[in-house]
Amino acid sequence: MSVPTGVGAVADTAPLAVARARATRLSIVAGTAFLVLAALSSFLPGGGGQGGGSPSSSYSNRPDGTAAWAELLSRFGYHVDRLRGDLDSSALDPAVTVVVLDAPGLTGAEARDLGRFVHSGGRLVAGGAGAGHWLESVVDHPPTLTGKGTRAAGPVGAAAPEVDGVASIRTAQLGSWSDPGGLEPILAGDSGRVVALAGDSGRGRVVALADPSPVQNALLAVDDDAALGLGLAGAAGRTVLFAEGAHGYGRGVGLAALPRRWRLALAGLGLAAATWLVARSRRLGPPEDEARPLPPPRWAYIDAVAGTLVRTRRPFEAVEPVRHRARELIARRAALPPDAGPDDLYRAGVRLGLSPEEATAAVGGGPTDETGVLAAGRALARLTGGEG
């Protein structure tokens, strides 16, 4: 049966086309899953694990991070440390300055711990998003925060140590204090909008920033913002403790210490890599045969050749080389002389495992028809080890 032209090529390329289509589908699924994970992680709240991506985090190098402020303090002799996990007043030394900025997720218990820390003599730099809600647990008369900001501000009121050496600061106009509460304004713009407040509470001191942008990376080097950053920390040599639990950094170790958004991104990358490996790997095929298929036994080939020779009507001439080779093998294996007679060769062939008919055909006796030719061929096959 003939095969139409091109059918073999199509059969060869069909599995490759199927494999490519499968790999493409799996790659699309992996990419979609990763994008979905990335999109879901973007909806996580700031305190839920954004980590270095959270505003005012000292780990963040983004424009709204405070990593540059932490580096500035280190260079000017302050000891900078980070507090991961929840705030606990029992773990806070009153001799340190605690920085809590842009922490809308701060719990009531943590706010009360900060209040106890300040009343026992600690220094707190607070502000940014959500500060107006939890400062009531720190000071008796909390200030009121508004979203109206001012582009520039300067010292106001009695000279406060926090603004010593500060003439003008630049802000991102993120907010201001509409009511100072029990604290005193220390920085305000020309429009009268107050950017920073300060005041004593118990034996400690509180500095409240309505707009933390002057100590963030983007504006720290502008105007006198760096001088303000040093003044907020207190006296030189003091320890400054950045509260990073509010920015998503827990006390865990290993992968558990990574922010949730990072863990989701890693999970998405792992899923994409696993899918890619599955797409690129070879699928399991049919079971492999236990034994390798062998070509037909040599005797079958000899039988076929013998039948062909018989049909030439000159079988004796065709089979004589076969008999000659068989006699040589019998004589060599039986250690007979080259001129050994037919009887000796016959008996030696039988001893070597040939049947009487095969031995007779091998030494030159027997019929010269198809039966004799086949017998001679089988004799040679046995002697050369080709049977089976």
Side-chain angles (χ1 to χ4, degrees), residues 65-157:
T66 56
W69 184 24
E71 178 65 22
L72 175 70
L73 294 173
S74 296
R75 293 186 180 185
F76 278 81
Y78 294 88
H79 177 68
V80 176
D81 202 355
R82 276 91 172 176
L83 177 62
R84 302 165 69 105
D86 297 337
L87 291 166
D88 184 355
S89 59
S90 62
L92 298 177
D93 184 356
V96 307
T97 297
V98 175
V99 178
V100 185
L101 297 176
D102 286 321
L106 200 72
T107 66
E110 290 178 302
R112 290 189 292 273
D113 282 336
L114 285 176
R116 286 190 287 269
F117 160 73
V118 171
H119 282 77
S120 62
R123 181 181 183 87
L124 175 65
V125 179
H133 298 291
W134 57 264
L135 276 176
E136 60 185 15
S137 298
V138 178
V139 296
D140 295 335
H141 302 288
T144 303
L145 185 64
T146 178
K148 298 178 180 180
T150 180
R151 179 174 177 78
V156 295

Coordinates of all heavy atoms in Angstrom, one line a residue, residues 65-157:
G65 N 10.2 56.7 51.4 CA 10.8 56.0 52.4 C 11.7 56.9 53.3 O 11.9 58.1 53.0
T66 N 12.2 56.3 54.4 CA 13.1 57.1 55.3 C 14.5 56.5 55.5 O 15.1 56.7 56.5 CB 12.4 57.3 56.6 OG1 12.1 56.0 57.2 CG2 11.2 58.1 56.5
A67 N 14.9 55.6 54.5 CA 16.2 55.0 54.6 C 17.3 56.0 54.6 O 18.3 55.8 55.3 CB 16.4 54.0 53.4
A68 N 17.2 57.1 53.9 CA 18.2 58.1 53.9 C 18.3 58.8 55.2 O 19.4 59.2 55.7 CB 17.9 59.2 52.8
W69 N 17.2 59.1 55.9 CA 17.2 59.7 57.2 C 17.9 58.8 58.2 O 18.7 59.3 59.0 CB 15.7 59.9 57.7 CG 15.6 60.6 59.0 CD1 16.5 61.5 59.6 CD2 14.5 60.6 59.9 NE1 16.1 61.9 60.8 CE2 14.8 61.4 61.0 CE3 13.3 60.0 59.8 CZ2 14.0 61.6 62.0 CZ3 12.4 60.2 60.9 CH2 12.8 61.0 62.0
A70 N 17.6 57.5 58.2 CA 18.3 56.6 59.0 C 19.8 56.6 58.8 O 20.7 56.6 59.7 CB 17.8 55.1 58.9
E71 N 20.2 56.6 57.5 CA 21.7 56.7 57.2 C 22.3 58.0 57.7 O 23.4 58.0 58.2 CB 21.8 56.6 55.7 CG 23.2 56.7 55.2 CD 24.1 55.5 55.6 OE1 23.6 54.5 56.0 OE2 25.4 55.7 55.7
L72 N 21.5 59.1 57.5 CA 22.0 60.4 58.0 C 22.3 60.4 59.5 O 23.3 60.9 60.0 CB 21.0 61.5 57.6 CG 21.3 62.9 58.2 CD1 22.5 63.5 57.4 CD2 20.1 63.8 58.0
L73 N 21.3 59.8 60.3 CA 21.5 59.7 61.7 C 22.7 58.9 62.1 O 23.5 59.3 63.0 CB 20.2 59.1 62.3 CG 19.0 60.0 62.2 CD1 17.8 59.2 62.7 CD2 19.1 61.3 63.0
S74 N 23.0 57.8 61.4 CA 24.1 57.0 61.6 C 25.4 57.7 61.4 O 26.4 57.6 62.2 CB 24.1 55.7 60.8 OG 23.0 54.9 61.0
R75 N 25.4 58.5 60.4 CA 26.7 59.3 60.1 C 26.9 60.4 61.1 O 28.1 60.8 61.2 CB 26.6 59.9 58.7 CG 26.6 58.8 57.6 CD 26.6 59.5 56.2 NE 26.6 58.4 55.1 CZ 26.8 58.7 53.8 NH1 26.9 60.0 53.5 NH2 26.8 57.8 53.0
F76 N 25.9 60.9 61.8 CA 26.1 61.9 62.7 C 26.1 61.4 64.2 O 25.8 62.2 65.1 CB 25.0 63.0 62.6 CG 25.3 64.0 61.5 CD1 25.1 63.7 60.1 CD2 25.9 65.2 61.8 CE1 25.4 64.6 59.1 CE2 26.2 66.1 60.8 CZ 25.9 65.8 59.4
G77 N 26.4 60.2 64.4 CA 26.7 59.7 65.7 C 25.5 59.1 66.4 O 25.7 58.7 67.6
Y78 N 24.4 58.9 65.8 CA 23.2 58.3 66.4 C 23.3 56.8 66.2 O 23.8 56.3 65.2 CB 21.9 58.8 65.9 CG 21.7 60.3 66.2 CD1 22.1 61.3 65.3 CD2 20.9 60.6 67.3 CE1 21.9 62.6 65.6 CE2 20.7 62.0 67.6 CZ 21.2 63.0 66.7 OH 20.9 64.3 67.0
H79 N 22.8 56.1 67.2 CA 22.7 54.6 67.0 C 21.3 54.3 66.5 O 20.3 54.5 67.1 CB 23.0 53.9 68.3 CG 22.8 52.4 68.2 ND1 23.7 51.6 67.5 CD2 21.8 51.6 68.7 CE1 23.3 50.4 67.6 NE2 22.2 50.3 68.3
V80 N 21.3 53.8 65.2 CA 20.0 53.5 64.6 C 19.6 52.0 64.7 O 20.5 51.1 64.5 CB 20.0 53.9 63.1 CG1 18.7 53.5 62.4 CG2 20.3 55.4 63.0
D81 N 18.4 51.7 65.1 CA 17.9 50.4 65.2 C 16.5 50.3 64.7 O 15.8 51.3 64.5 CB 18.0 49.9 66.7 CG 18.0 48.4 66.8 OD1 17.9 47.7 65.8 OD2 18.2 47.9 67.9
R82 N 16.1 49.1 64.4 CA 14.7 48.9 64.0 C 14.0 47.9 64.9 O 14.6 46.9 65.4 CB 14.7 48.2 62.6 CG 14.8 49.3 61.4 CD 16.2 49.5 61.0 NE 16.3 50.3 59.8 CZ 17.4 50.7 59.3 NH1 18.6 50.4 59.8 NH2 17.5 51.5 58.2
L83 N 12.7 48.2 65.2 CA 11.9 47.3 66.0 C 10.9 46.7 65.1 O 10.0 47.3 64.6 CB 11.2 48.1 67.1 CG 10.2 47.4 68.0 CD1 11.0 46.3 68.8 CD2 9.5 48.3 69.0
R84 N 11.0 45.4 64.9 CA 10.1 44.6 64.1 C 9.0 44.0 65.0 O 9.2 43.7 66.2 CB 10.8 43.5 63.4 CG 11.9 44.0 62.5 CD 12.8 42.9 62.1 NE 12.2 42.0 61.2 CZ 12.4 41.9 59.9 NH1 13.3 42.7 59.3 NH2 11.8 41.1 59.1
G85 N 7.8 43.9 64.4 CA 6.7 43.3 65.2 C 6.0 44.4 66.0 O 6.1 45.6 65.8
D86 N 5.1 43.9 66.9 CA 4.3 44.8 67.7 C 5.1 45.6 68.7 O 6.1 45.2 69.2 CB 3.2 44.0 68.4 CG 2.3 43.3 67.5 OD1 2.2 43.8 66.3 OD2 1.6 42.3 67.9
L87 N 4.6 46.8 69.0 CA 5.2 47.7 70.0 C 4.9 47.2 71.4 O 3.7 46.7 71.6 CB 4.8 49.1 69.8 CG 5.3 49.9 68.6 CD1 4.5 51.2 68.4 CD2 6.8 50.2 68.8
D88 N 5.8 47.2 72.3 CA 5.6 46.8 73.7 C 6.3 47.7 74.6 O 7.6 47.8 74.5 CB 6.1 45.3 73.8 CG 5.8 44.7 75.2 OD1 5.3 45.5 76.1 OD2 6.0 43.5 75.4
S89 N 5.6 48.4 75.5 CA 6.3 49.4 76.3 C 7.3 48.8 77.2 O 8.3 49.4 77.6 CB 5.2 50.1 77.2 OG 4.5 49.2 78.0
S90 N 7.2 47.5 77.6 CA 8.2 46.8 78.4 C 9.5 46.6 77.7 O 10.5 46.4 78.3 CB 7.6 45.5 78.9 OG 7.4 44.6 77.8
A91 N 9.5 46.7 76.3 CA 10.7 46.5 75.6 C 11.3 47.8 75.1 O 12.3 47.8 74.4 CB 10.4 45.6 74.4
L92 N 10.7 48.9 75.5 CA 11.1 50.2 75.0 C 11.9 50.9 76.1 O 11.4 51.1 77.2 CB 9.9 51.1 74.6 CG 9.1 50.5 73.4 CD1 7.9 51.4 73.1 CD2 10.0 50.4 72.2
D93 N 13.1 51.3 75.9 CA 14.0 52.0 76.8 C 13.6 53.5 76.8 O 13.7 54.1 75.7 CB 15.4 51.8 76.5 CG 16.4 52.4 77.5 OD1 15.9 53.0 78.4 OD2 17.6 52.1 77.3
P94 N 13.3 54.1 77.9 CA 13.0 55.6 77.9 C 14.1 56.4 77.4 O 13.9 57.6 77.1 CB 12.6 55.8 79.4 CG 12.2 54.5 79.9 CD 13.1 53.5 79.2
A95 N 15.3 55.9 77.3 CA 16.5 56.7 76.9 C 16.6 56.7 75.3 O 17.5 57.4 74.8 CB 17.8 56.1 77.4
V96 N 15.7 56.1 74.6 CA 15.7 56.1 73.1 C 14.7 57.0 72.5 O 13.7 57.4 73.2 CB 15.6 54.7 72.6 CG1 16.5 53.7 73.2 CG2 14.1 54.2 72.7
T97 N 14.8 57.3 71.3 CA 13.8 58.0 70.5 C 13.1 57.0 69.6 O 13.8 56.3 68.8 CB 14.5 59.1 69.6 OG1 15.1 60.1 70.5 CG2 13.4 59.8 68.8
V98 N 11.8 56.9 69.7 CA 11.0 56.0 68.9 C 10.4 56.8 67.8 O 9.7 57.8 68.0 CB 10.0 55.2 69.7 CG1 9.1 54.4 68.8 CG2 10.7 54.4 70.8
V99 N 10.5 56.3 66.5 CA 9.9 56.9 65.4 C 8.8 56.1 64.9 O 9.0 54.9 64.5 CB 10.9 57.1 64.3 CG1 10.3 57.8 63.0 CG2 12.1 58.0 64.8
V100 N 7.5 56.7 64.8 CA 6.4 56.0 64.3 C 5.7 56.9 63.3 O 4.9 57.8 63.7 CB 5.4 55.6 65.5 CG1 4.2 54.7 64.9 CG2 6.1 54.8 66.6
L101 N 5.9 56.7 62.1 CA 5.4 57.6 61.0 C 4.5 56.7 60.0 O 4.9 55.6 59.7 CB 6.5 58.3 60.3 CG 7.4 59.2 61.0 CD1 8.5 59.8 60.2 CD2 6.5 60.4 61.6
D102 N 3.4 57.3 59.6 CA 2.6 56.7 58.6 C 2.2 55.2 59.1 O 2.5 54.3 58.4 CB 3.2 56.6 57.2 CG 3.2 58.0 56.6 OD1 2.2 58.7 56.7 OD2 4.2 58.4 55.9
A103 N 1.6 55.2 60.2 CA 1.2 53.9 60.8 C -0.3 53.9 61.1 O -0.7 53.8 62.2 CB 2.0 53.6 62.1
P104 N -1.2 53.9 60.0 CA -2.6 53.9 60.3 C -3.1 52.6 60.9 O -4.2 52.6 61.5 CB -3.2 54.1 58.9 CG -2.1 53.6 57.9 CD -0.8 53.9 58.6
G105 N -2.3 51.5 60.8 CA -2.8 50.2 61.3 C -2.3 50.0 62.7 O -2.5 48.9 63.3
L106 N -1.8 51.0 63.4 CA -1.4 50.9 64.8 C -2.6 50.5 65.7 O -3.6 51.2 65.6 CB -0.7 52.1 65.3 CG 0.2 52.0 66.5 CD1 1.5 51.3 66.1 CD2 0.5 53.4 67.0
T107 N -2.4 49.5 66.5 CA -3.5 49.1 67.3 C -3.7 50.0 68.6 O -2.7 50.7 69.0 CB -3.4 47.6 67.8 OG1 -2.2 47.5 68.6 CG2 -3.2 46.7 66.6
G108 N -4.8 49.9 69.2 CA -5.0 50.6 70.5 C -4.0 50.2 71.5 O -3.5 51.1 72.3
A109 N -3.8 48.9 71.6 CA -2.8 48.4 72.7 C -1.4 49.0 72.4 O -0.7 49.4 73.3 CB -2.8 46.9 72.6
E110 N -1.0 49.1 71.1 CA 0.3 49.6 70.8 C 0.3 51.1 71.1 O 1.4 51.6 71.6 CB 0.6 49.4 69.4 CG 0.9 47.9 69.0 CD 1.2 47.7 67.6 OE1 0.3 48.0 66.7 OE2 2.3 47.2 67.2
A111 N -0.7 51.8 70.8 CA -0.8 53.3 71.1 C -0.7 53.5 72.7 O 0.0 54.4 73.1 CB -2.1 53.9 70.6
R112 N -1.3 52.7 73.4 CA -1.2 52.8 74.9 C 0.2 52.5 75.4 O 0.7 53.1 76.3 CB -2.3 51.9 75.6 CG -3.7 52.4 75.4 CD -4.7 51.6 76.2 NE -4.8 50.2 75.8 CZ -5.7 49.9 74.8 NH1 -6.5 50.7 74.2 NH2 -5.8 48.6 74.5
D113 N 0.8 51.5 74.8 CA 2.2 51.2 75.1 C 3.1 52.4 74.8 O 4.0 52.7 75.6 CB 2.7 50.0 74.4 CG 2.2 48.7 75.0 OD1 1.8 48.7 76.2 OD2 2.0 47.7 74.2
L114 N 2.9 53.1 73.7 CA 3.6 54.3 73.4 C 3.4 55.4 74.4 O 4.3 56.1 74.8 CB 3.3 54.8 72.0 CG 3.9 54.0 70.8 CD1 3.3 54.6 69.5 CD2 5.4 54.0 70.8
G115 N 2.1 55.5 74.9 CA 1.8 56.5 75.9 C 2.6 56.2 77.2 O 3.1 57.2 77.8
R116 N 2.6 55.0 77.6 CA 3.4 54.6 78.8 C 4.9 54.9 78.6 O 5.6 55.3 79.5 CB 3.1 53.2 79.2 CG 1.8 52.9 79.8 CD 1.6 51.5 80.3 NE 1.5 50.5 79.2 CZ 0.4 50.1 78.7 NH1 -0.8 50.6 79.1 NH2 0.4 49.2 77.8
F117 N 5.4 54.6 77.4 CA 6.8 54.9 77.1 C 7.1 56.3 77.2 O 8.1 56.7 77.8 CB 7.1 54.4 75.7 CG 8.3 54.9 75.0 CD1 9.6 54.6 75.4 CD2 8.2 55.9 74.0 CE1 10.7 55.1 74.9 CE2 9.3 56.4 73.4 CZ 10.6 56.0 73.8
V118 N 6.2 57.2 76.7 CA 6.5 58.7 76.8 C 6.4 59.2 78.2 O 7.3 59.9 78.7 CB 5.5 59.4 75.9 CG1 5.6 60.9 76.1 CG2 5.8 59.1 74.4
H119 N 5.4 58.7 78.9 CA 5.2 59.2 80.3 C 6.3 58.8 81.2 O 6.6 59.4 82.2 CB 3.9 58.7 80.9 CG 2.7 59.5 80.4 ND1 2.2 59.4 79.1 CD2 2.0 60.5 81.0 CE1 1.1 60.2 79.0 NE2 1.0 60.9 80.1
S120 N 7.0 57.7 80.8 CA 8.1 57.2 81.7 C 9.5 57.9 81.3 O 10.5 57.6 81.8 CB 8.3 55.7 81.6 OG 8.6 55.3 80.2
G121 N 9.4 58.8 80.3 CA 10.6 59.6 80.0 C 11.1 59.4 78.5 O 12.1 59.9 78.2
G122 N 10.3 58.6 77.7 CA 10.8 58.4 76.3 C 10.5 59.6 75.4 O 9.7 60.5 75.7
R123 N 11.1 59.5 74.2 CA 11.0 60.6 73.2 C 10.3 59.9 72.0 O 10.8 58.9 71.5 CB 12.3 61.2 72.8 CG 12.2 62.3 71.8 CD 13.6 62.8 71.5 NE 13.6 63.9 70.5 CZ 13.4 65.2 70.9 NH1 13.3 65.5 72.2 NH2 13.4 66.2 69.9
L124 N 9.2 60.5 71.5 CA 8.4 59.9 70.4 C 8.3 60.9 69.3 O 8.0 62.1 69.5 CB 7.0 59.6 70.9 CG 6.1 59.1 69.8 CD1 6.5 57.7 69.2 CD2 4.6 58.9 70.4
V125 N 8.7 60.5 68.1 CA 8.5 61.2 66.8 C 7.4 60.5 66.1 O 7.6 59.4 65.6 CB 9.8 61.3 66.0 CG1 9.5 62.1 64.7 CG2 10.9 62.0 66.8
A126 N 6.2 61.2 66.0 CA 5.0 60.5 65.4 C 4.4 61.4 64.4 O 4.7 62.6 64.3 CB 4.0 60.2 66.5
G127 N 3.6 60.8 63.6 CA 2.8 61.6 62.6 C 2.5 60.8 61.3 O 2.6 59.6 61.3
G128 N 2.1 61.6 60.3 CA 1.7 61.0 59.1 C 0.3 60.4 59.1 O -0.5 60.7 60.0
A129 N 0.0 59.5 58.2 CA -1.3 59.0 58.0 C -1.8 58.2 59.3 O -1.0 57.4 59.8 CB -1.4 58.0 56.8
G130 N -3.0 58.5 59.8 CA -3.6 57.8 60.9 C -3.1 58.3 62.3 O -3.7 57.9 63.3
A131 N -2.1 59.2 62.3 CA -1.6 59.6 63.6 C -2.7 60.4 64.5 O -2.6 60.3 65.7 CB -0.4 60.5 63.5
G132 N -3.6 61.1 63.8 CA -4.6 61.8 64.6 C -5.5 60.9 65.4 O -6.1 61.4 66.3
H133 N -5.6 59.6 65.0 CA -6.5 58.7 65.7 C -5.8 58.1 66.9 O -6.5 57.8 67.9 CB -6.9 57.6 64.7 CG -7.7 58.1 63.6 ND1 -9.0 58.7 63.7 CD2 -7.4 58.2 62.2 CE1 -9.4 59.1 62.5 NE2 -8.5 58.8 61.6
W134 N -4.5 57.8 66.9 CA -3.9 57.1 68.0 C -3.1 57.9 68.9 O -2.7 57.5 70.0 CB -3.1 55.9 67.5 CG -1.9 56.2 66.5 CD1 -2.0 56.2 65.2 CD2 -0.6 56.7 66.9 NE1 -0.8 56.5 64.6 CE2 0.1 56.8 65.7 CE3 0.0 56.9 68.1 CZ2 1.4 57.3 65.6 CZ3 1.4 57.3 68.0 CH2 2.0 57.5 66.8
L135 N -2.9 59.2 68.5 CA -2.1 60.1 69.5 C -2.9 60.4 70.7 O -2.4 60.9 71.7 CB -1.8 61.4 68.7 CG -0.5 61.4 67.9 CD1 -0.3 62.7 67.2 CD2 0.7 61.1 68.8
E136 N -4.2 60.2 70.7 CA -5.1 60.5 71.9 C -4.7 59.5 73.0 O -5.0 59.8 74.2 CB -6.5 60.3 71.6 CG -6.9 58.9 71.1 CD -8.4 58.8 70.6 OE1 -9.0 59.9 70.5 OE2 -8.9 57.7 70.5
S137 N -4.0 58.4 72.7 CA -3.6 57.5 73.8 C -2.2 57.9 74.3 O -1.7 57.3 75.3 CB -3.5 56.1 73.2 OG -4.8 55.6 72.8
V138 N -1.6 58.9 73.6 CA -0.2 59.3 74.0 C -0.2 60.7 74.8 O 0.5 60.8 75.8 CB 0.7 59.4 72.8 CG1 2.1 59.9 73.2 CG2 0.8 58.1 72.1
V139 N -1.0 61.6 74.3 CA -1.1 62.9 74.9 C -2.5 63.2 75.4 O -3.5 62.6 74.8 CB -0.7 64.1 73.9 CG1 0.8 63.9 73.5 CG2 -1.5 64.0 72.7
D140 N -2.6 64.0 76.4 CA -4.0 64.2 77.0 C -4.9 64.9 76.0 O -6.1 64.6 76.0 CB -3.8 65.0 78.3 CG -3.1 64.2 79.4 OD1 -3.1 63.0 79.3 OD2 -2.4 64.9 80.2
H141 N -4.4 65.9 75.3 CA -5.2 66.7 74.4 C -4.6 66.5 73.0 O -3.7 67.3 72.6 CB -5.3 68.1 74.7 CG -5.8 68.4 76.1 ND1 -7.2 68.2 76.4 CD2 -5.2 68.7 77.3 CE1 -7.4 68.4 77.7 NE2 -6.2 68.8 78.3
P142 N -5.0 65.5 72.2 CA -4.4 65.2 70.9 C -4.7 66.3 69.9 O -5.7 66.9 69.9 CB -5.0 63.9 70.5 CG -6.3 63.9 71.2 CD -6.1 64.6 72.5
P143 N -3.8 66.5 68.9 CA -4.0 67.4 67.8 C -5.0 66.9 66.8 O -5.3 65.7 66.8 CB -2.6 67.7 67.3 CG -1.9 66.4 67.5 CD -2.4 65.9 68.8
T144 N -5.4 67.7 65.9 CA -6.3 67.3 64.8 C -5.6 67.5 63.5 O -5.1 68.5 63.2 CB -7.6 68.2 64.9 OG1 -8.2 68.1 66.1 CG2 -8.6 67.7 63.8
L145 N -5.7 66.4 62.7 CA -5.0 66.4 61.4 C -5.9 66.7 60.3 O -7.1 66.3 60.3 CB -4.4 65.0 61.2 CG -3.5 64.8 60.0 CD1 -2.2 65.6 60.1 CD2 -3.1 63.3 59.9
T146 N -5.4 67.5 59.3 CA -6.1 67.8 58.1 C -5.3 67.5 56.9 O -4.0 67.5 57.0 CB -6.5 69.3 58.1 OG1 -7.2 69.6 56.9 CG2 -5.3 70.2 58.2
G147 N -5.9 67.3 55.8 CA -5.1 67.0 54.5 C -4.6 68.2 53.8 O -3.9 68.0 52.8
K148 N -4.8 69.4 54.3 CA -4.3 70.6 53.7 C -2.9 70.9 54.1 O -2.6 71.0 55.3 CB -5.2 71.8 54.0 CG -6.7 71.6 53.5 CD -7.5 72.8 54.0 CE -9.0 72.6 53.5 NZ -9.8 73.8 53.9
G149 N -2.0 70.9 53.1 CA -0.6 71.1 53.5 C -0.1 72.5 53.0 O -0.8 73.3 52.5
T150 N 1.2 72.6 53.2 CA 1.9 73.9 52.8 C 3.2 73.5 52.2 O 3.9 72.5 52.6 CB 2.2 74.8 54.0 OG1 2.8 76.0 53.5 CG2 3.0 74.1 55.1
R151 N 3.7 74.2 51.2 CA 4.9 73.8 50.4 C 6.1 74.1 51.2 O 7.1 73.3 51.1 CB 4.9 74.6 49.1 CG 6.1 74.3 48.2 CD 6.1 75.0 46.9 NE 7.3 74.8 46.1 CZ 7.5 73.7 45.4 NH1 6.7 72.7 45.4 NH2 8.6 73.6 44.7
A152 N 6.2 75.1 52.0 CA 7.4 75.5 52.8 C 6.9 75.9 54.2 O 5.8 76.3 54.4 CB 8.2 76.6 52.1
A153 N 7.8 75.8 55.1 CA 7.5 76.1 56.5 C 8.8 76.5 57.2 O 9.9 76.2 56.8 CB 6.8 75.0 57.2
G154 N 8.6 77.3 58.3 CA 9.7 77.8 59.1 C 9.4 77.7 60.6 O 8.2 77.5 60.9
P155 N 10.4 77.9 61.4 CA 10.1 77.9 62.9 C 9.1 78.9 63.3 O 9.1 80.1 62.8 CB 11.5 78.1 63.5 CG 12.5 77.8 62.4 CD 11.8 78.1 61.1
V156 N 8.3 78.6 64.3 CA 7.3 79.5 64.9 C 7.3 79.4 66.4 O 7.8 78.3 66.9 CB 5.9 79.3 64.3 CG1 5.8 79.6 62.9 CG2 5.4 77.9 64.6
G157 N 6.8 80.4 67.1 CA 6.7 80.3 68.5 C 8.1 80.3 69.2 O 9.1 80.8 68.6

